[in-house]
Amino acid sequence: MAKPQWQEVAKIAQELRDASISRVEPPVPDVPSDLPRDVTDVPKYLLTTDEVLITQTSPEDLVSSLASGKHSCKAVVNAFLRRAGLAQKLTNCITELLPEEALSRAKYLDNFYKEHKRPIGPLHGLPISVKEHIGMKGKGLNAGFVSWWDRKGADDANVLKILWQAGCVFYARTTQPQTLMHLETSNNLYGVTVNPFNRGLTSGGSSGGEGALLGLRGSCLGVGSDIGGSVRSPSANCGVYGLRPTSYRIPTDGWSATMLSEEQIVAVIGPLSTSLEGIKLFMKTVLSAKPWLTEPSCVPIRWRDQKSHLPTSHNNKKLRIAVLWSDGIVKPHPPITRALKEVASRLQDVSGIEVSTWQPYKHDEAWEIIATLYLADGAKEETDAIEASGEPWRPLTKFIIQENPHVKHLSVEEVWYWTSRREQYRRAYAKVWNETATGTGPHGEPEGTVDVILAPVGPGAAPPLDQSRYWGYTSQWNLLDYPALVFPVGKVDPEVDAVEEGYKPMNEKDEFNYRLYEPEKYRGAPVSLQLIGRRYEDEKVVEALGYIKDKIGLPFTPFV
């Protein structure tokens, strides 16, 4: 029997997705044929009042209302199924909905609550969406490759088992790019996922389906992954919160990708949420299950929120925040610089905060190292997976593999060399951070160093499709393995965010980014920033953002 053409496989994939949406009851409404550029308000006119209220509720408030019996699991799950179906029609972000499984689970949880008069766990009835390559037993696991279409999950991924045990409901699986190595979401199975705030722009990637779905409030808490910005890019582009945790905190067994066993640049699983509290809820729930007992590579550290990690709480010192205005390679677009200035200015007025400038340390060298280590087999697995089906190479796949001068097959000795370079760079960056100390401790250790770095997530807001060609503002922290937390600030305003006339780019990458910015094309796009901490200071980063939000009132623009 002849192997099916890739177009036939894609047709089957899309038909199965559409069929899953058609099984939602009441039926998911059709959307207008002439859609506005910003579609974030569309669901409000097509769903019931209760459905709108439920789906625009934060995950922490939903958990509370489900635990108190205010809402039934069935009502909450069905509301999110319908809004997720609309999100697909508006942005192309879904690979499949799971109406039968989700409603069966909801019924079970409602019956449990009725019988026991208590929730089954901390996530009782909470709908959670999941990026497709994070495995579910018996479900497809294609990781964006047409040739992998018929692969199935042998079991649920470890992280999903923990969330399920805590009482959640899985109801939606979301899109990802070919190879998982884009800061956009574009593949030959499902096409392109667009930004709900501006459909001419990208949702980001590689967890771009999650970003678009959360941006449209078709989810309140999602599970993504990050090896170069794949949680943070879509979070930033779609105006939601996203955490790239330090490696080996969240279990990863059970996902699908090329080069799964490589350890040079470790990919992580992380949450995306419509609230900061949702990020904390995810991390605390997963780490309370002690994943290191079943996945020994995980570090045995629970979520440490029993006491404050900020200097303001225990010795009356100031929270020290250093601002990275530019990495010295690609200058951020005016909306990003404006957001940095607005946040920094307001922080300077807070008595418990000290603001300074972070000087980038050889970020060009960091890209050389990480870009060399990403695809140490010369991208053979990616190439084989693409060519096995005959599917075409997507533009950003060509960019990160074929047009990337750092991609080559490394010998064992060369892997050792570049891994050594990685460690040398990490030591040098740690030295730079240590040099911000205001004193030394009893053992000579630095004290009073900068607590967190405030930085762009990218060199602009969400770029036009196929133009996300600069990874430096996110991959930098993957190389260093620093936790990084994205948060929304505002939106692009062409009347305020004018082009910087007369600017002379520093290099070709900077020139590409400078020419990309046409204010009207970016109108309404979310503007986000990220907060970065040192390794295994994830709790401190999350707490610091909570402190900042409370003091200066982030975000400055409503997103719902």
Side-chain angles (χ1 to χ4, degrees):
M1 184 176 177
K3 182 174 70 173
Q5 296 293 308
W6 73 264
Q7 296 93 332
E8 297 175 75
V9 177
K11 184 172 183 289
I12 293 169
Q14 293 168 32
E15 287 174 347
L16 289 173
R17 176 202 60 205
D18 295 345
S20 74
I21 295 171
S22 72
R23 296 195 299 273
V24 175
E25 292 291 343
V28 176
D30 290 328
V31 300
S33 57
D34 186 18
L35 288 170
R37 180 158 57 175
D38 181 349
V39 295
T40 53
D41 277 345
V42 172
K44 299 175 187 177
Y45 300 103
L46 298 176
L47 299 174
T48 68
T49 301
D50 282 348
E51 288 170 336
V52 171
L53 289 174
I54 287 170
T55 51
Q56 293 182 183
T57 300
S58 65
E60 67 273 16
D61 288 343
L62 269 181
V63 165
S64 178
S65 65
L66 286 160
S68 69
K70 177 183 177 181
H71 285 124
S72 71
C73 298
K74 179 182 178 182
V76 170
V77 169
N78 214 56
F80 275 97
L81 280 167
R82 296 192 77 223
R83 192 150 184 161
L86 278 177
Q88 163 57 29
K89 295 183 179 186
L90 295 169
T91 62
N92 192 33
C93 59
I94 297 291
T95 63
E96 65 177 322
L97 293 183
L98 308 170
E100 294 85 4
E101 297 98 322
L103 290 171
S104 174
R105 170 71 163 169
K107 181 179 179 180
Y108 170 80
L109 293 170
D110 283 336
N111 288 338
F112 181 95
Y113 190 91
K114 184 177 180 180
E115 179 182 351
H116 298 279
K117 307 296 189 245
R118 64 174 176 83
I120 200 170
L123 302 183
H124 180 90
L126 184 69
I128 293 182
S129 52
V130 183
K131 187 177 182 180
E132 189 274 350
H133 84 116
I134 299 170
M136 290 186 180
K137 186 175 182 178
K139 301 294 181 185
L141 203 57
N142 60 68
F145 295 111
V146 174
S147 66
W148 289 13
W149 161 251
D150 56 356
R151 295 188 179 191
K152 304 290 182 185
D155 198 357
D156 292 333
N158 278 358
V159 68
L160 301 190
K161 290 179 181 180
I162 292 171
L163 297 171
W164 179 271
Q165 189 68 28
C168 84
V169 179
F170 299 122
Y171 70 105
R173 307 183 73 210
T174 56
T175 53
Q176 64 221 340
Q178 182 186 58
T179 74
L180 298 171
M181 293 290 285
H182 301 190
L183 292 182
E184 298 192 20
T185 297
S186 162
N187 65 57
N188 292 314
L189 285 166
Y190 301 102
V192 178
T193 302
V194 298
N195 193 304
F197 290 89
N198 184 327
R199 298 177 75 251
L201 306 176
T202 179
S203 64
S206 62
S207 309
E210 286 297 319
L213 184 62
L214 272 90
L216 274 165
R217 299 307 188 259
S219 174
C220 63
L221 184 60
V223 187
S225 59
D226 193 311
I227 195 172
S230 292
V231 162
R232 289 160 291 154
S233 160
S235 298
N237 289 1
C238 299
V240 298
Y241 297 84
L243 174 66
R244 184 259 174 217
T246 309
S247 63
Y248 301 117
R249 293 207 73 177
I250 302 299
T252 59
D253 277 2
W255 62 0
S256 176
T258 55
M259 298 192 300
L260 274 180
S261 297
E262 68 88 17
E263 295 184 317
Q264 282 66 52
I265 305 297
V266 177
V268 300
I269 282 175
L272 299 86
S273 179
T274 55
S275 75
L276 177 60
E277 288 298 319
I279 299 292
K280 289 192 271 189
L281 180 64
F282 175 93
M283 295 297 292
K284 186 169 185 174
T285 299
V286 174
L287 295 179
S288 292
K290 299 183 179 179
W292 50 87
L293 296 179
T294 54
E295 191 169 318
S297 62
C298 292
V299 293
I301 305 174
R302 290 201 185 203
W303 187 249
R304 300 160 294 181
D305 63 351
Q306 298 80 16
K307 64 178 183 178
S308 175
H309 297 268
L310 303 186
T312 54
S313 66
H314 49 81
N315 56 17
N316 296 317
K317 293 184 178 179
K318 292 186 177 184
L319 176 66
R320 299 189 64 200
I321 301 172
V323 182
L324 177 69
W325 299 99
S326 168
D327 66 358
I329 304 167
V330 175
K331 184 177 181 179
H333 287 164
I336 307 302
T337 299
R338 174 168 63 88
L340 285 169
K341 288 179 177 179
E342 287 179 354
V343 171
S345 175
R346 298 196 191 196
L347 291 174
Q348 285 170 339
D349 293 333
V350 178
S351 59
I353 292 176
E354 176 188 309
V355 179
S356 61
T357 294
W358 184 265
Q359 298 296 340
Y361 176 79
K362 298 184 179 180
H363 284 213
D364 52 348
E365 180 180 339
W367 174 249
E368 179 189 12
I369 296 168
I370 198 169
T372 301
L373 288 172
Y374 269 142
L375 301 161
D377 67 342
K380 183 180 186 303
E381 285 198 18
E382 283 80 4
T383 301
D384 289 350
I386 293 169
E387 295 185 350
S389 68
E391 65 172 302
W393 287 61
R394 306 296 295 196
L396 290 180
T397 305
K398 291 180 181 178
F399 163 72
I400 199 62
I401 294 178
Q402 295 178 343
E403 300 167 15
N404 184 349
H406 302 293
V407 173
K408 60 181 180 179
H409 187 278
L410 302 181
S411 66
V412 171
E413 291 79 8
E414 287 172 322
V415 170
W416 292 342
Y417 167 77
W418 284 102
T419 303
S420 175
R421 286 278 303 273
R422 181 197 70 186
E423 290 306 295
Q424 290 170 16
Y425 185 81
R426 287 179 175 180
R427 287 193 294 272
Y429 217 89
K431 182 174 183 290
V432 169
W433 200 311
N434 292 340
E435 287 170 351
T436 68
T438 56
T440 56
H443 304 290
E445 72 275 16
E447 287 189 342
T449 59
V450 160
D451 293 293
V452 289
I453 299 170
L454 175 67
V457 188
L465 301 175
D466 293 327
Q467 303 304 313
S468 298
R469 292 170 174 259
Y470 188 69
W471 293 32
Y473 284 101
T474 48
S475 63
Q476 173 72 24
W477 316 115
N478 293 86
L479 181 69
L480 295 169
D481 196 20
Y482 287 172
L485 176 60
V486 167
F487 58 95
V489 177
K491 295 179 182 178
V492 175
D493 182 352
E495 279 69 45
V496 176
D497 301 315
V499 172
E500 184 180 355
E501 299 293 347
Y503 175 70
K504 295 183 178 180
M506 297 176 280
N507 50 62
E508 288 184 7
K509 293 178 180 179
D510 195 29
E511 182 175 10
F512 177 87
N513 187 63
Y514 175 71
R515 294 185 181 281
L516 203 59
Y517 184 59
E518 298 177 30
E520 192 56 43
K521 282 187 178 180
Y522 286 78
R523 179 181 290 274
V527 176
S528 304
L529 299 173
Q530 63 181 329
L531 214 57
I532 299 120
R534 304 186 82 158
R535 289 190 83 199
Y536 297 105
E537 291 190 347
D538 308 52
E539 293 89 344
K540 183 178 185 179
V541 172
V542 172
E543 186 184 359
L545 180 56
Y547 182 80
I548 291 167
K549 276 172 56 68
D550 181 59
K551 295 297 183 182
I552 68 174
L554 288 166
F556 302 147
T557 303
F559 281 80
V560 176

